[in-house]
Amino acid sequence: MTNTQVTLIQLDNYGPWTVTPEPRREVDLQTMQSRLYADLSQLFGNRDGYVFFSRFDNMIAVTNGLDVDDHALIQESIGNRYPVTTSLSIAVDPAPIAALGTATDQLQAAGSAQDKDRRSILRGDPLDEAERTDDDLHIAHFDVNDATGQYTDELNEFDTFISIEQGYAELMRYMREAHDSLSFFVGGDNVIAVCAGLSADDYRDAITHVREAVDVELKVGVGKAATAHGAGMDAKHALEACRHDGHDIVIDD
Amino acid sequence: MTNTQVTLIQLDNYGPWTVTPEPRREVDLQTMQSRLYADLSQLFGNRDGYVFFSRFDNMIAVTNGLDVDDHALIQESIGNRYPVTTSLSIAVDPAPIAALGTATDQLQAAGSAQDKDRRSILRGDPLDEAERTDDDLHIAHFDVNDATGQYTDELNEFDTFISIEQGYAELMRYMREAHDSLSFFVGGDNVIAVCAGLSADDYRDAITHVREAVDVELKVGVGKAATAHGAGMDAKHALEACRHDGHDIVIDD
Amino acid sequence: MTNTQVTLIQLDNYGPWTVTPEPRREVDLQTMQSRLYADLSQLFGNRDGYVFFSRFDNMIAVTNGLDVDDHALIQESIGNRYPVTTSLSIAVDPAPIAALGTATDQLQAAGSAQDKDRRSILRGDPLDEAERTDDDLHIAHFDVNDATGQYTDELNEFDTFISIEQGYAELMRYMREAHDSLSFFVGGDNVIAVCAGLSADDYRDAITHVREAVDVELKVGVGKAATAHGAGMDAKHALEACRHDGHDIVIDD
Amino acid sequence: MTNTQVTLIQLDNYGPWTVTPEPRREVDLQTMQSRLYADLSQLFGNRDGYVFFSRFDNMIAVTNGLDVDDHALIQESIGNRYPVTTSLSIAVDPAPIAALGTATDQLQAAGSAQDKDRRSILRGDPLDEAERTDDDLHIAHFDVNDATGQYTDELNEFDTFISIEQGYAELMRYMREAHDSLSFFVGGDNVIAVCAGLSADDYRDAITHVREAVDVELKVGVGKAATAHGAGMDAKHALEACRHDGHDIVIDD
């Protein structure tokens, strides 16, 4: 059984900040957001966690192995280096979507995302060290079959982007609704999903659904470990095995 | 009439690099990609251009006002600071989608995105300085009505993300197919579109389409100028006017 | 005759910020400072200026070719992305040290570096475009003869560092006192000096002085141009010519 | 007794890279160097180590608490994100200068800093976990008395810089020769020293020496702990106590 620790990261009162006193230059906002994400990726990643940029003002991290002190240090380090602050909310559940639900509830209970006085919240309880197992996290790494040959080298780049995006939009929704899992586009033709304990048939079901719904052909490698990095690296190797052997699904057990 | 100069930015042979000799740590790839985007955002932005991250390994820039030397300098600067190189292809057309089509064709003609020997290509012709006008670029800045109150402060963050994402997926496809325009998610609940010369009715049509298709309520501010920054900043002010006055569409003429 | 435009960049009220409310983590201060410098280096560098980190809380830029609007944009961009603000003061003089003197006076007249209410000052007058010439800037690029063979590959790294540092300390003081020039360590065994109009004999005098005072052997390439980048790149090529031909001084005229 | 673990970080074959095939733009080198340092500062700092930029192509870290795997991960992460690679050499000794001596010897034995085939070396033995104590590291944080009032707000910024720099040059040399300690300028008017086990009289001796030699007045706070961050933060608080109480030396025991 999986046991996923999720951290919701929310920039405090960010929307109003972007237009106060006047709208700020878009290129500066883009630079600031993407660097903040890059730094969080290193700060969590150095402790074997993963962060996904999702909406940039709300980011979602998988943080098995990080305790409250680790979170406090990350929060402090960002606060020391950026013009904005962050609130963090931690929760654990076998189902990733449920963990994020609890994390979201905890943060909403502390105040609105646009409450000027709600700053640098740190809430929630990490997974007890004694309860951690090598099977806590299941990470699935999807990519599009022959994306370069079928799309990038053939179509208008925006039509390629639309195809990848429609495949992602369908996968993210289906994996959430049918399988309680959280899927994130990570660039190129790649999607990484943090999954509940799914079978090979479940993964096949998702791939089939996306093909039938939007005609995008996916394959997937799956890894399992105590940390996001461990499971994610196994998933990458499993995906390489897919490429090498022509399989659609490889699960590293 | 619009006259959009688009630059396609492609990381050279990037997919193979990410798994050679072994798959690289995902957090490092995420950090490298998002910082590369942040730097491009500054490099183009310092010359009043915009860059959108789209797939991160293929990025799309709006570059009216930048000549070939500017592009060469940007390409050199990235090459001096990153472990990967970039290829750039420039094209101009009244319709943004057509400009990107030409830019894509030029790059595809130079070789595959995964050709090891195709590196640091720089192709295409910028808009002649003498032909530039204050009406060349139309930028539309969309956001979701009351996203914080309706979504962020209410739903599981992943369900908020799904709603925003479905709204974006629908908008990007419709704006491309019906209106020859390129739309990009830029974080939060914001989408920025580089548009052909559209009327208020065209914008209303797009907003209506998204509401009917996926039940996401958008509003939009539109700006026009000789550069992406100029048009984009006017669009931000127009969107502020929407918020203030309760309108769905404000076009700054 | 040279005509050097210098900009003094001062972080506003920075010392107190680093210890308020408690001393901040040193690694975060180091990260923030060095990234702020890196960004300034790009922001000025994109307009063919140079920035030197000097004390990090006070940095010195050579900005021929940048007008007040360019400075305002740089100041705004940093303010959008960092937790601290900057004040900028611009001045022009044939002698670099005199230009910096005027720039310093202007900023001191606006208030103390630790005045909480003195923020985002922008003072001073750039060189008029009509007065600019291809000879305005003289940049000298010094390095230590065979630093790798004599120091890096032979000594304890701290003793190497001490030798380079003593050479730099002597050069910076002598070039300022005898030749009205500003010299900056830029890493490795390299020093870049922004010079008044000096002769080959003047450069020889400086090299001789450093050798006699602290037994460090330097060579130097000199370039002249309308911008820091132009003069600096010529200086690099001149230094390569020194290496190739075994000369101590090469001036690119 | 102190037990200092030092890591020498050397960019591989960096000098030749900066001029191949042509000299690279100085602003890009400055950006790349300072960001690489910023990243190392975070990577080591997240594990409670300190890094000093020293010459940028050779950096010196204090790494008590980091094992070989930590170093390997840092080396890999940099290699994934920069166009240059790093070699690392670890050594331990009661005297910081001796630890760095051993670390330097190990790296020199592996080949020249400009050997094209010597890349990504990782050598040396960290301090055994069982031997670590709360007294292993002594960190001294020096600053200049009333630097803002005496220098920054009064003198030409370059003359301020010269004064600070001469004070640093004298302190670094004296602390190395008389006290086996490593001192680093860290910006503003601050110097951080990694010290052998020194007494209050030793610190007084160093301060007196600098005042007599170059007329710069220093004060110092000293902290002791098992990690650089722990000792460094205690030193900062001790320095605040100096400021508050008007003392020249405060040692936190």
Side-chain angles (χ1 to χ4, degrees):
Chain A
M1 195 185 73
T2 55
N3 219 358
T4 312
Q5 179 177 315
V6 166
T7 303
L8 174 60
I9 305 160
Q10 190 171 88
L11 303 198
D12 295 319
N13 198 28
Y14 181 61
W17 182 86
T18 65
V19 293
T20 303
E22 290 289 312
R24 296 175 192 256
R25 290 173 66 89
E26 186 63 31
V27 294
D28 290 341
L29 298 179
Q30 293 299 312
T31 300
M32 202 273 282
Q33 289 174 9
S34 50
R35 287 188 179 164
L36 180 48
Y37 166 65
D39 271 351
L40 288 169
S41 194
Q42 286 296 306
L43 286 163
F44 284 99
N46 266 299
R47 295 162 175 86
D48 288 337
Y50 269 15
V51 190
F52 300 100
F53 54 80
S54 42
R55 298 200 289 147
F56 285 100
D57 61 351
N58 284 266
M59 290 171 272
I60 297 167
V62 183
T63 56
N64 292 56
L66 283 83
D67 62 20
V68 171
D69 285 348
D70 293 328
H71 283 79
L73 177 63
I74 290 171
Q75 191 177 47
E76 177 188 344
S77 183
I78 294 297
N80 279 339
R81 299 186 279 122
Y82 284 88
V84 294
T85 57
T86 55
S87 287
L88 306 178
S89 179
I90 312 162
V92 178
D93 196 280
I97 187 70
L100 183 58
T102 303
T104 311
D105 289 345
Q106 290 167 169
L107 199 49
Q108 288 166 346
S112 168
Q114 297 194 356
D115 178 341
K116 276 189 297 183
D117 299 320
R118 196 220 68 184
R119 288 203 173 274
S120 301
I121 304 295
L122 176 49
R123 292 268 169 102
D125 298 307
L127 182 54
D128 199 89
E129 191 63 29
E131 292 176 39
R132 297 181 60 204
T133 76
D134 285 348
D135 199 34
D136 284 341
L137 280 174
H138 292 195
I139 299 267
H141 196 133
F142 294 85
D143 76 4
V144 175
N145 292 337
D146 193 21
T148 301
Q150 298 288 319
Y151 297 90
T152 310
D153 286 349
E154 291 298 321
L155 304 182
N156 181 315
E157 173 58 23
F158 203 77
D159 293 329
T160 296
F161 183 33
I162 288 175
S163 294
I164 301 289
E165 179 71 20
Q166 306 295 323
Y168 170 54
E170 199 59 38
L171 182 67
M172 81 183 297
R173 189 170 56 183
Y174 191 75
M175 287 289 285
R176 182 263 183 270
E177 290 172 2
H179 298 301
D180 288 345
S181 301
L182 307 176
S183 307
F184 302 93
F185 176 65
V186 293
D189 61 331
N190 297 268
V191 173
I192 293 179
V194 187
C195 297
L198 305 184
S199 66
D201 281 350
D202 293 328
Y203 289 109
R204 191 171 315 279
D205 167 63
I207 288 177
T208 301
H209 173 84
V210 172
R211 184 179 58 238
E212 292 176 351
V214 294
D215 197 28
V216 173
E217 302 264 357
L218 301 171
K219 58 181 171 299
V220 64
V222 181
K224 305 172 182 179
T227 65
H229 169 68
M233 193 53 85
D234 286 351
K236 284 170 179 271
H237 282 286
L239 188 63
E240 288 298 290
C242 285
R243 281 183 192 132
H244 190 263
D245 301 334
H247 294 144
D248 281 347
I249 302 171
V250 171
I251 299 180
D252 180 75
D253 273 307
Chain B
M1 195 186 73
T2 55
N3 220 358
T4 313
Q5 179 177 314
V6 166
T7 303
L8 173 60
I9 304 160
Q10 189 171 87
L11 304 198
D12 295 318
N13 198 26
Y14 182 60
W17 182 86
T18 64
V19 293
T20 303
E22 292 288 313
R24 295 174 192 256
R25 291 172 65 89
E26 187 63 32
V27 294
D28 289 341
L29 298 179
Q30 293 299 312
T31 301
M32 201 274 281
Q33 288 173 11
S34 50
R35 287 189 180 163
L36 179 48
Y37 166 64
D39 271 352
L40 288 169
S41 193
Q42 286 296 305
L43 286 162
F44 283 100
N46 266 298
R47 295 162 175 85
D48 289 337
Y50 268 16
V51 191
F52 301 99
F53 54 79
S54 44
R55 299 200 288 147
F56 285 100
D57 60 351
N58 285 266
M59 290 171 271
I60 297 167
V62 184
T63 57
N64 291 55
L66 282 83
D67 62 19
V68 171
D69 286 348
D70 293 327
H71 283 78
L73 178 63
I74 290 171
Q75 190 177 48
E76 177 188 344
S77 183
I78 295 297
N80 280 340
R81 299 188 278 120
Y82 284 89
V84 294
T85 56
T86 55
S87 286
L88 306 178
S89 179
I90 311 161
V92 179
D93 197 280
I97 186 70
L100 183 58
T102 303
T104 310
D105 289 345
Q106 291 168 169
L107 198 49
Q108 288 166 347
S112 167
Q114 297 194 357
D115 178 341
K116 277 189 297 183
D117 299 319
R118 198 220 66 185
R119 289 204 172 276
S120 301
I121 303 295
L122 176 49
R123 293 267 168 103
D125 298 308
L127 183 54
D128 199 88
E129 192 63 29
E131 293 177 39
R132 298 181 60 204
T133 76
D134 283 349
D135 199 34
D136 284 340
L137 279 174
H138 292 194
I139 299 267
H141 196 132
F142 295 86
D143 77 2
V144 175
N145 291 336
D146 193 21
T148 300
Q150 298 288 318
Y151 297 92
T152 309
D153 286 350
E154 290 299 320
L155 304 183
N156 181 316
E157 172 58 23
F158 203 78
D159 293 329
T160 296
F161 183 32
I162 288 175
S163 294
I164 303 289
E165 179 70 21
Q166 306 294 323
Y168 170 52
E170 199 59 38
L171 182 66
M172 80 183 297
R173 190 171 55 185
Y174 191 75
M175 288 289 283
R176 181 262 183 270
E177 290 174 1
H179 299 301
D180 289 344
S181 302
L182 307 176
S183 308
F184 302 93
F185 176 64
V186 294
D189 62 331
N190 297 268
V191 173
I192 294 179
V194 187
C195 297
L198 306 184
S199 67
D201 282 349
D202 293 329
Y203 289 110
R204 190 172 315 281
D205 167 63
I207 288 177
T208 301
H209 174 84
V210 172
R211 184 178 58 239
E212 292 176 350
V214 295
D215 196 29
V216 173
E217 302 265 357
L218 300 171
K219 60 182 169 298
V220 64
V222 181
K224 306 173 182 179
T227 65
H229 169 69
M233 193 54 85
D234 286 351
K236 285 170 179 272
H237 282 286
L239 188 63
E240 289 297 291
C242 284
R243 281 184 192 129
H244 190 262
D245 302 334
H247 294 143
D248 282 345
I249 302 172
V250 172
I251 299 179
D252 181 75
D253 272 307
Chain C
M1 193 186 76
T2 55
N3 219 358
T4 312
Q5 179 177 315
V6 166
T7 302
L8 174 60
I9 305 160
Q10 189 171 88
L11 304 196
D12 295 319
N13 199 28
Y14 181 60
W17 182 86
T18 65
V19 294
T20 303
E22 291 288 312
R24 296 175 193 255
R25 291 172 65 87
E26 187 63 33
V27 294
D28 289 342
L29 298 179
Q30 292 300 311
T31 300
M32 202 274 281
Q33 288 173 9
S34 50
R35 286 187 179 164
L36 179 48
Y37 166 64
D39 271 352
L40 288 169
S41 193
Q42 287 295 305
L43 286 163
F44 284 100
N46 266 299
R47 294 161 175 85
D48 288 338
Y50 269 16
V51 191
F52 301 100
F53 55 79
S54 44
R55 299 200 288 148
F56 286 99
D57 60 352
N58 286 266
M59 290 171 272
I60 297 167
V62 184
T63 56
N64 291 56
L66 283 84
D67 62 19
V68 171
D69 285 349
D70 293 327
H71 282 80
L73 177 63
I74 291 171
Q75 190 177 48
E76 177 188 345
S77 184
I78 294 297
N80 280 339
R81 299 187 278 122
Y82 284 89
V84 294
T85 56
T86 56
S87 286
L88 306 178
S89 179
I90 311 162
V92 179
D93 197 280
I97 187 70
L100 183 58
T102 303
T104 310
D105 289 345
Q106 291 168 170
L107 198 50
Q108 288 165 346
S112 168
Q114 297 194 356
D115 178 341
K116 276 189 298 184
D117 299 319
R118 197 221 65 185
R119 288 204 171 276
S120 301
I121 303 296
L122 175 50
R123 293 268 169 102
D125 298 308
L127 182 53
D128 199 88
E129 191 63 28
E131 293 177 39
R132 297 181 61 204
T133 76
D134 285 347
D135 199 35
D136 284 342
L137 279 174
H138 292 195
I139 299 267
H141 196 134
F142 294 85
D143 77 2
V144 175
N145 292 337
D146 192 21
T148 301
Q150 298 288 318
Y151 297 92
T152 310
D153 287 350
E154 290 298 320
L155 302 183
N156 182 314
E157 173 58 22
F158 202 78
D159 292 329
T160 296
F161 182 34
I162 288 175
S163 293
I164 302 289
E165 179 70 20
Q166 307 294 323
Y168 170 53
E170 200 58 39
L171 182 66
M172 79 183 298
R173 189 171 56 184
Y174 191 75
M175 288 288 285
R176 182 263 182 270
E177 290 173 0
H179 298 300
D180 289 344
S181 302
L182 308 175
S183 309
F184 302 93
F185 177 65
V186 293
D189 61 330
N190 297 267
V191 173
I192 293 179
V194 187
C195 297
L198 306 185
S199 66
D201 282 349
D202 293 329
Y203 290 110
R204 190 171 317 279
D205 167 62
I207 288 176
T208 302
H209 174 84
V210 172
R211 185 179 57 239
E212 291 176 352
V214 294
D215 196 28
V216 173
E217 302 265 356
L218 300 170
K219 60 181 169 298
V220 65
V222 181
K224 305 172 182 178
T227 66
H229 169 69
M233 191 55 83
D234 286 351
K236 285 170 179 272
H237 283 286
L239 188 62
E240 289 296 291
C242 285
R243 280 183 193 131
H244 189 263
D245 301 334
H247 294 142
D248 282 346
I249 302 171
V250 171
I251 299 179
D252 180 74
D253 271 308
Chain D
M1 194 186 73
T2 55
N3 218 358
T4 312
Q5 179 177 314
V6 167
T7 302
L8 173 59
I9 304 160
Q10 189 172 88
L11 303 197
D12 295 318
N13 199 27
Y14 182 60
W17 181 86
T18 64
V19 293
T20 303
E22 291 288 312
R24 296 174 192 256
R25 290 173 65 88
E26 188 62 32
V27 293
D28 290 340
L29 298 179
Q30 292 300 313
T31 300
M32 202 273 282
Q33 289 174 11
S34 50
R35 287 189 179 162
L36 179 47
Y37 167 65
D39 270 352
L40 288 169
S41 194
Q42 287 296 305
L43 287 163
F44 283 101
N46 266 297
R47 295 162 176 85
D48 288 337
Y50 269 16
V51 191
F52 301 99
F53 55 79
S54 42
R55 299 199 288 148
F56 284 100
D57 61 350
N58 286 266
M59 290 171 270
I60 297 168
V62 184
T63 57
N64 291 55
L66 282 83
D67 62 20
V68 171
D69 286 349
D70 293 327
H71 282 79
L73 177 63
I74 290 170
Q75 190 178 47
E76 177 188 344
S77 184
I78 295 297
N80 280 339
R81 298 187 280 122
Y82 284 89
V84 294
T85 57
T86 54
S87 287
L88 306 178
S89 179
I90 311 161
V92 179
D93 197 280
I97 187 68
L100 184 57
T102 302
T104 310
D105 290 345
Q106 291 168 170
L107 198 50
Q108 288 166 346
S112 168
Q114 297 194 356
D115 178 341
K116 277 189 297 182
D117 299 319
R118 198 221 66 185
R119 287 202 173 276
S120 301
I121 302 296
L122 176 49
R123 293 268 169 102
D125 298 307
L127 183 54
D128 199 88
E129 191 63 30
E131 292 176 40
R132 298 180 61 203
T133 77
D134 284 348
D135 200 33
D136 284 341
L137 280 174
H138 292 194
I139 299 268
H141 196 133
F142 294 86
D143 76 4
V144 175
N145 292 336
D146 192 21
T148 301
Q150 297 289 318
Y151 297 91
T152 310
D153 286 349
E154 291 298 321
L155 303 183
N156 181 315
E157 172 58 21
F158 203 78
D159 293 329
T160 296
F161 182 34
I162 288 175
S163 294
I164 303 289
E165 179 70 21
Q166 307 294 324
Y168 170 53
E170 200 59 38
L171 182 66
M172 82 184 295
R173 189 171 56 183
Y174 191 75
M175 287 290 283
R176 181 263 184 270
E177 289 173 2
H179 299 301
D180 289 344
S181 302
L182 308 175
S183 308
F184 302 93
F185 177 65
V186 294
D189 62 331
N190 296 267
V191 174
I192 294 179
V194 187
C195 297
L198 306 184
S199 66
D201 281 349
D202 293 329
Y203 289 110
R204 190 171 316 279
D205 167 62
I207 288 175
T208 301
H209 173 84
V210 172
R211 183 178 59 238
E212 291 176 352
V214 294
D215 196 29
V216 172
E217 302 264 356
L218 301 171
K219 59 182 170 298
V220 64
V222 181
K224 305 173 181 178
T227 65
H229 169 68
M233 193 53 86
D234 286 351
K236 284 169 179 272
H237 282 286
L239 188 62
E240 289 297 291
C242 284
R243 281 183 192 131
H244 190 263
D245 301 334
H247 294 143
D248 282 346
I249 302 172
V250 172
I251 299 180
D252 179 75
D253 273 307

